[in-house]
Amino acid sequence: MHNRKLILSLKDINSNKKGNIAAIFSLSNGYMGIQASDPITGANDVGTLVNGFFEYSPITYGEPAAFYPKNNQTIVSLPSLRKIRLLDENNHSFNFSELKNISLDLSNGQLTEVYEVSNQGGEKIEMTVASAIDQKKLAFYGIKFSFKPISYQGKLVVDKHYKIERKNNDGVGEVEDPRKTRLVKSISKHIISSDDFREVIKIETKESQQSVTIEGYSTSEKMLTKRALKTGFDITYIYKVSEGVKNKGVSIEQNSFDKIKEHSHKFWEDVWNQSEVTVSGNDEINLALHFNIFQLNQATGRDGKTNIAAKGLTGSGYEGHTFWDTEMYMLPYFIYTNPEFARNLLIYRYHTLTFARKRAKELGIKHGALFAWRSINGEETSAYYPASTAAYHINGDIAYAIGKYYEATDDDDFMEKYGFEILLETARFWREFGSWTEKGGKKQFEFLTVTGPDEYTAMVDNNYFTNRMAENNLKLAYTVGLRLAKSNQKVFDRLNSSESELREFHHIADNIYFPMNAQYQINAQDDSFFSKPVWPFNKTPKTKYPLLLHYHPLNIYRYQVNKQADTILADFLFPETITDSQLRREFEYYETITTHDSSLSRSIFSAVAARMGKVNHAYRYFTDTVRLDLTDLQGNTEDGLHLANLGGSWLDVVQGFAGMQVSSQGLLKIIPHLPAEWDSFQIRLAFKKRLLDIVIDKSQTQIVLLSGDPMEIVINQSQQTLTKIIKINN
């Protein structure tokens, strides 16, 4: 990070609400997350999340129908590892008084907080909390409490024992806001063992039959200790969180707070070496960008069996579910900075194929797979199919990400073991779920009763984005399949495919129907979109946004109104399918009817505007995107950070302002558009086993090959051979 410490503190966020602080300053490592809740008055039984640890609860329908999902899945909030009780020598509690400072060092992942706490007599002490999560031995978390007298001079009692709340009610509590989570009640908590220096508790779910063991260990003082403050003292605790049989082999005594901090520091050093994005000329934006990348890395499941929840491990919003957000908004960052993480995220989808095949059969598809719209383990959990199962573009989203990963890595091993099977099964779904029709005297293939990315337009025919994703999916299956048929026939045969099947995929792709609007000469969002009236924006008060919380879905569905980028997202993903003039018309039309009620929206409008050369326009969207959670723009940061938006801010810089694309010939392209507010910006990219350092300023673009073989690269439409360094005038 260029020897420049980037530290996020209270002055860098707009809201000091406890929930916002807990989410923004949370620590996680893809396996578990620790919210930065107040350790004195924060909840005792919530604050820790384990990726993939969830509970079932039945979905109640007023009018059930065939093959509706039967169960919710809700991530379980586990006891806080930060919670502590402080008592004076008269057994009176010290309570929260003031958070004096909190700082998160993005260079090493260490969190430092300073609290002022007081007893009922108004006597005060200062409590400093230093914590870090292990980025190598993922089960471990360390926290050190330092106590200093302010006006209290007596003995201080420090109690770090768990207080188990035995409320083992069945079921879950319902919520009105679909973005929030249910309260899980059908879990049990038991103290397994407890002594002076150690305590072990076990949490078990009733329905999903999962378990987590939390072991706490004091490295010096007892778990319950009483000491004179004098000049102050420290107590350090190590926690180990084990799910099922995971992490059983590493003893808690084998780790230390210093080791945890060392592992964290090394991890972040490697992250920034691979994926540095630095803005010169705006420190606020630069800090926000680093924070977003930091949290994106923290949230990511690394074992091939867990993914990235919509809120990561910063909060339980959206119940800890994974959506299409991963492939469309977050995976690009990993593909071009940490391909190993990208590979594991895609392998997660492979491990859910059994559920996806079952779901396809439930929709009448004999051969093929349909991935869940929202899930933790791969089972569909969404009770509202018009905005979930009908959004079967998820298949194409996953296939698109596989294609981009393969394009950037040439990872034949992944494609042979995992990737092609997903491409094949999703292509088979498109073949069976679509239908042939006669349009304009031509036989074409279409997809009916579908919901695209825009959740304010549901159950329509021929959503443009969906059809474009299907086309790409079918062609990918064709090209990869032909390659495998020649290079590894055993894989091809094992999946019962044939070259005639591949040719059928290609024939369908060549004849997919794409709706157009003749009046505006733009891609129509779907067949019926332009027959609807435009939403009455001038009569809608600001207090009625987001629309989904104030209007019945059928009211919204009757209008031209977009929750988020839809056709514009397709234009972003497939830039070579549209001319500059049509893109400009398309952008201007859809922009006027988009509410950006989804946090997924602004980043795409920013990236597309930047590519069009509308840099000032793009920058306005970008400033909202890059600081969305730091400003609580959506009003629900306390439920967890908006992980897709964090990835979107990286897309804006790299694929928007730097104009990074991969051409149809497989060449990396850089077409820079420097915002007027910046002096320069620097990015690092991994591409085909090479690491590039790219600096764009007002006069030139410089690209340095840090590692790997020479390569052909396109800068400002000029193809160059990069052997070590290239400088091109902008």
Side-chain angles (χ1 to χ4, degrees):
M1 300 171 72
H2 311 292
N3 298 316
R4 192 173 54 208
K5 287 191 113 179
L6 286 172
I7 297 176
L8 188 81
S9 62
L10 280 178
K11 65 180 175 58
D12 302 307
I13 65 176
N14 282 20
S15 171
N16 287 352
K17 285 167 53 178
K18 286 188 176 182
N20 286 29
I21 291 171
I24 289 170
F25 292 93
S26 60
L27 295 177
S28 54
N29 57 15
Y31 169 66
M32 66 173 170
I34 316 294
Q35 293 179 304
S37 52
D38 164 23
I40 298 293
T41 58
N44 181 65
D45 59 346
V46 297
T48 304
L49 299 170
V50 169
N51 199 350
F53 185 67
F54 70 93
E55 175 62 314
Y56 288 116
S57 63
I59 299 175
T60 302
Y61 295 97
E63 297 182 18
F67 300 118
Y68 278 15
K70 298 291 191 296
N71 293 302
N72 301 299
Q73 294 177 1
T74 302
I75 195 168
V76 177
S77 195
L78 302 171
S80 173
L81 307 187
R82 296 163 48 86
K83 184 69 176 175
I84 196 168
R85 290 182 71 225
L86 304 179
L87 306 170
D88 62 23
E89 56 193 6
N90 297 314
N91 281 330
H92 294 143
S93 295
F94 281 89
N95 295 311
F96 174 85
S97 177
E98 183 182 2
L99 174 60
K100 303 290 288 186
N101 188 35
I102 184 168
S103 60
L104 177 59
D105 190 333
L106 304 178
S107 70
N108 59 27
Q110 295 180 32
L111 179 66
T112 305
E113 305 149 80
V114 180
Y115 295 89
E116 190 176 277
V117 298
S118 58
N119 62 10
Q120 65 179 34
E123 297 172 296
K124 296 180 179 180
I125 63 173
E126 181 183 271
M127 179 178 72
T128 299
V129 184
S131 58
I133 196 164
D134 204 312
Q135 299 289 346
K136 182 179 180 181
K137 299 177 180 178
L138 303 184
F140 289 92
Y141 169 75
I143 186 166
K144 182 173 82 171
F145 293 89
S146 301
F147 307 101
K148 290 182 180 179
I150 297 177
S151 56
Y152 177 72
Q153 301 295 328
K155 291 186 176 180
L156 179 66
V157 178
V158 181
D159 185 1
K160 201 67 174 70
H161 285 289
Y162 289 108
K163 305 300 177 186
I164 298 296
E165 298 181 10
R166 301 185 181 279
K167 297 179 181 179
N168 301 328
N169 301 318
D170 289 345
V172 294
E174 296 296 329
V175 293
E176 292 185 4
D177 187 338
R179 300 169 299 177
K180 293 183 179 290
T181 194
R182 296 170 174 83
L183 176 63
V184 179
K185 299 177 182 177
S186 56
I187 59 174
S188 60
K189 306 170 191 173
H190 308 282
I191 296 178
I192 303 300
S193 63
S194 181
D195 59 34
D196 287 344
F197 290 93
R198 184 190 316 265
E199 192 165 53
V200 181
I201 66 170
K202 189 173 186 178
I203 299 95
E204 296 177 293
T205 60
K206 179 180 178 181
E207 302 300 333
S208 67
Q209 299 185 337
Q210 295 177 291
S211 66
V212 161
T213 301
I214 300 176
E215 184 176 3
Y217 173 67
S218 179
T219 63
S220 54
E221 303 290 335
K222 295 179 179 180
M223 300 290 281
L224 177 61
T225 190
K226 186 175 184 178
R227 281 187 58 174
L229 267 177
K230 295 182 182 178
T231 58
F233 63 91
D234 305 335
I235 305 181
T236 301
Y237 305 91
I238 305 297
Y239 287 92
K240 179 183 176 184
V241 179
S242 304
E243 183 184 5
V245 296
K246 283 184 182 178
N247 308 309
K248 293 294 187 183
V250 182
S251 167
I252 198 167
E253 291 90 351
Q254 292 176 310
N255 219 345
S256 67
F257 192 35
D258 285 340
K259 275 291 183 185
I260 290 171
K261 290 190 291 183
E262 179 187 324
H263 293 161
S264 177
H265 195 169
K266 179 62 167 63
F267 174 82
W268 291 112
E269 189 175 64
D270 291 344
V271 165
W272 298 121
N273 182 60
Q274 288 289 119
S275 62
E276 179 68 278
V277 176
T278 300
V279 169
S280 176
N282 192 312
D283 292 342
E284 182 181 68
I285 294 296
N286 189 57
L287 177 62
L289 260 176
H290 281 83
F291 169 74
N292 291 357
I293 293 171
F294 178 90
Q295 288 291 4
L296 199 59
N297 278 277
Q298 285 206 125
T300 303
R302 308 172 191 178
D303 58 2
K305 296 180 181 178
T306 53
N307 204 267
I308 311 176
K311 300 292 185 179
L313 294 167
T314 67
S316 57
Y318 285 115
E319 303 192 81
H321 292 166
T322 291
F323 294 78
W324 69 305
D325 305 22
T326 297
E327 284 76 20
M328 290 290 94
Y329 291 84
M330 295 180 267
L331 246 170
Y333 163 78
F334 292 107
I335 288 172
Y336 299 110
T337 63
N338 190 334
E340 181 183 351
F341 276 23
R343 176 186 166 108
N344 285 331
L345 289 169
L346 291 169
I347 289 174
Y348 160 84
R349 292 295 189 183
Y350 177 82
H351 284 143
T352 69
L353 258 176
T354 298
F355 288 124
R357 290 188 178 104
K358 180 174 181 281
R359 189 62 176 149
K361 284 183 170 61
E362 290 173 347
L363 269 68
I365 302 302
K366 293 180 180 179
H367 305 289
L370 175 60
F371 286 94
W373 179 249
R374 60 184 297 169
S375 182
I376 293 176
N377 71 345
E379 295 175 89
E380 181 61 80
T381 68
S382 178
Y384 188 63
Y385 73 87
S388 57
T389 303
Y392 46 87
H393 63 80
I394 180 115
N395 271 9
D397 307 333
I398 294 167
Y400 180 89
I402 289 172
K404 286 297 175 183
Y405 171 77
Y406 191 47
E407 178 183 73
T409 64
D410 294 327
D411 188 347
D412 291 318
D413 179 73
F414 166 81
M415 196 59 80
E416 291 176 7
K417 290 179 179 176
Y418 312 104
F420 177 63
E421 188 168 350
I422 296 175
L423 294 177
L424 181 63
E425 292 291 76
T426 48
R428 286 169 172 169
F429 176 88
W430 294 116
R431 177 185 62 194
E432 288 196 36
F433 213 64
S435 54
W436 289 98
T437 187
E438 195 82 19
K439 286 185 180 290
K442 181 182 177 183
K443 196 175 182 182
Q444 293 189 281
F445 203 79
E446 62 180 0
F447 299 97
L448 309 175
T449 318
V450 59
T451 300
D454 170 34
E455 293 173 0
Y456 286 171
T457 308
M459 309 289 284
V460 296
D461 295 340
N462 292 311
N463 169 257
Y464 175 80
F465 174 90
T466 302
N467 289 17
R468 186 63 75 187
M469 298 305 281
E471 176 194 48
N472 180 70
N473 193 161
L474 290 158
K475 287 186 175 180
L476 272 173
Y478 170 78
T479 56
V480 174
L482 283 184
R483 188 175 304 166
L484 275 179
K486 295 177 181 177
S487 65
N488 195 333
Q489 185 68 35
K490 288 182 180 179
V491 174
F492 195 69
D493 293 341
R494 174 174 61 83
L495 299 174
N496 297 315
S497 190
S498 64
E499 291 194 24
S500 63
E501 181 179 43
L502 300 182
R503 287 192 295 272
E504 184 183 11
F505 292 158
H506 196 275
H507 177 64
I508 291 171
D510 278 346
N511 289 280
I512 288 177
Y513 168 71
F514 294 101
M516 280 285 295
N517 178 272
Q519 179 181 357
Y520 299 104
Q521 284 297 294
I522 61 175
N523 291 309
Q525 185 165 309
D526 58 73
D527 283 354
S528 61
F529 193 76
F530 283 90
S531 65
K532 300 172 183 177
V534 173
W535 179 268
F537 292 103
N538 58 349
K539 296 180 181 179
T540 307
K542 291 182 179 179
T543 56
K544 294 295 185 180
Y545 294 92
L547 302 182
L548 79 160
L549 297 184
H550 301 280
Y551 299 92
H552 191 282
L554 282 182
N555 190 0
I556 299 173
Y557 295 166
R558 294 184 300 115
Y559 290 93
Q560 286 185 52
V561 57
N562 283 3
K563 182 182 179 186
Q564 62 209 77
D566 192 301
T567 303
I568 299 302
L569 178 56
D571 295 339
F572 170 73
L573 297 177
F574 303 102
E576 294 186 349
T577 64
I578 187 169
T579 64
D580 291 345
S581 58
Q582 183 180 335
L583 177 60
R584 193 168 296 274
R585 293 193 300 271
E586 210 142 287
F587 183 93
E588 290 172 355
Y589 186 88
Y590 286 109
E591 184 182 36
T592 64
I593 58 169
T594 302
T595 64
H596 306 295
D597 283 349
S598 168
S599 63
L600 279 61
S601 188
R602 293 178 180 86
S603 62
I604 299 304
F605 275 85
S606 174
V608 173
R611 286 182 181 177
M612 293 164 54
K614 300 178 68 168
V615 184
N616 292 339
H617 203 77
Y619 198 73
R620 289 196 295 273
Y621 279 120
F622 172 71
T623 53
D624 282 346
T625 296
V626 74
R627 301 193 72 245
L628 183 140
D629 281 309
L630 300 180
T631 61
D632 198 12
L633 185 64
Q634 300 292 115
N636 63 340
T637 293
E638 64 184 351
D639 298 320
L641 304 182
H642 298 78
L643 266 294
N645 178 77
L646 304 188
S649 66
W650 181 89
L651 288 175
D652 288 347
V653 174
V654 174
Q655 298 194 356
F657 297 127
M660 188 277 280
Q661 299 175 25
V662 179
S663 72
S664 56
Q665 290 77 38
L667 297 181
L668 196 69
K669 296 167 61 176
I670 301 295
I671 308 173
H673 298 92
L674 180 72
E677 292 82 357
W678 299 351
D679 298 327
S680 64
F681 66 103
Q682 176 186 17
I683 60 176
R684 286 195 174 177
L685 296 176
F687 188 74
K688 293 185 182 293
K689 299 179 181 179
R690 299 166 175 89
L691 181 62
L692 309 179
D693 187 82
I694 303 170
V695 179
I696 298 168
D697 62 25
K698 297 184 189 310
S699 61
Q700 70 176 12
T701 296
Q702 172 185 287
I703 303 180
V704 178
L705 181 63
L706 297 176
S707 64
D709 297 332
M711 62 182 290
E712 293 297 301
I713 192 167
V714 177
I715 310 172
N716 282 329
Q717 310 301 337
S718 173
Q719 185 169 327
Q720 305 283 331
T721 301
L722 175 62
T723 55
K724 186 175 181 181
I725 185 170
I726 291 176
K727 296 181 181 181
I728 298 289
N729 293 333
N730 291 334

